[in-house]
Amino acid sequence: MLKIGVLVSGGGTNLQSIIDSIEDKRLDASIAVVISDNPDAYAIERARSHSIRTEVLPRGGFAAREAYDLALSALLKGHGVELVVMAGFMRILSRPMLEAFPMRIMNIHPALLPSFPGLNVQKKALEFGVKFSGCTVHFVDEGLDNGPIIIQAVVPVKDNDTVEDLGKRILAEEHRIYPQAIQLFSEGRLRVEGRRVFVKGGAEADSALENPVATIFGG
Ligand code: GRF
């Protein structure tokens, strides 16, 4: 069974969706360890309450990002981790992690990449005036929110949305697609060619979306 290591910094609702998917037998994987850079992350409590092993690796004490990532990769390898799952881990990974886990690190981002990389992206999407946003699960490479895209889910942006409304709508989709992406990996169904990720046996979406839905032509 695929052993995953989940990296967290905060509330851990994505971690929770992964735990729930495993417990409901929708996801065939085991969480070898949950690692946080933040000792106060609520995600740590979530892991403990499901008897999952946890480690806290604070940033302090490491002079450079590379030194931190070397320690992080050693910790993950020590727990036998085969796939690293970033779930709200607020750090950019450097070479030692990318070399230890090539195309074996996933991240989830609350926007439709390559639009709106970085932070506070629900607010940026709303302010920009896009009619759709969503979330993206992707493999991690050296760029910020840049690696090959595995799955995206799209949500509408509504006229009266607050940042919180849009954020909640996106988060619900994150909780749905992240366990799916991990399951596809665990079944060996992901093939990466350059920037493109192909899913073996994947049913592709077949219809266009529009928002607002055009009723102006009587449609
Ligand atoms: C999510 O919005 C995720 O897309 C982003 O950080 C947030 C983490 O939320 N990378 P949680 O800690 O999983 O609740």
Side-chain angles (χ1 to χ4, degrees):
M1 192 188 292
L2 179 74
K3 285 187 170 185
I4 66 174
V6 185
L7 306 183
V8 296
S9 298
T13 64
N14 276 289
L15 168 66
Q16 190 67 54
S17 81
I18 294 165
I19 293 172
D20 294 346
S21 301
I22 291 172
E23 291 185 350
D24 296 349
K25 307 213 178 307
R26 282 174 286 134
L27 174 53
D28 193 20
S30 68
I31 302 178
V33 65
V34 171
I35 302 177
S36 176
D37 60 335
N38 168 16
D40 301 323
Y42 182 63
I44 290 283
E45 298 304 317
R46 293 183 190 268
R48 285 189 185 135
S49 69
H50 290 265
S51 306
I52 296 167
R53 279 176 289 179
T54 60
E55 305 268 7
V56 176
L57 190 63
R59 176 70 175 83
F62 292 93
R65 179 178 294 172
E66 283 72 17
Y68 182 90
D69 283 6
L70 207 54
L72 182 59
S73 64
L75 207 49
L76 288 159
K77 293 277 181 191
H79 283 277
V81 167
E82 298 161 298
L83 175 71
V84 180
V85 174
M86 297 175 73
F89 188 60
M90 300 303 286
R91 301 182 50 78
I92 297 170
L93 298 182
S94 63
R95 198 163 286 275
M97 271 297 291
L98 299 170
E99 284 175 356
F101 295 97
M103 286 301 148
R104 286 180 164 265
I105 307 174
M106 284 184 189
N107 183 42
I108 189 149
H109 182 75
L112 293 175
L113 292 172
S115 293
F116 309 114
L119 295 174
N120 303 320
V121 295
Q122 299 90 340
K123 183 166 186 278
K124 286 176 188 161
L126 197 62
E127 286 174 356
F128 195 90
V130 292
K131 298 298 186 191
F132 288 104
S133 189
C135 49
T136 305
V137 181
H138 64 94
F139 285 113
V140 173
D141 67 7
E142 58 286 344
L144 172 67
D145 299 324
N146 182 70
I149 291 171
I150 303 166
I151 309 185
Q152 294 185 305
V154 177
V155 303
V157 179
K158 301 186 180 183
D159 286 350
N160 295 326
D161 271 351
T162 62
V163 175
E164 289 68 33
D165 295 333
L166 179 59
K168 270 191 204 162
R169 196 173 302 128
I170 293 171
L171 197 58
E173 294 304 306
E174 295 185 33
H175 298 162
R176 205 170 59 76
I177 67 170
Y178 214 178
Q180 287 180 5
I182 299 165
Q183 178 64 17
L184 288 171
F185 184 95
S186 88
E187 291 177 15
R189 290 171 60 189
L190 299 179
R191 179 170 51 89
V192 184
E193 278 181 30
R195 279 212 52 88
R196 299 189 68 189
V197 181
F198 297 92
V199 177
K200 277 179 222 148
E204 295 163 304
D206 207 19
S207 52
L209 298 171
E210 62 177 299
N211 182 39
V213 177
T215 52
I216 41 177
F217 301 121

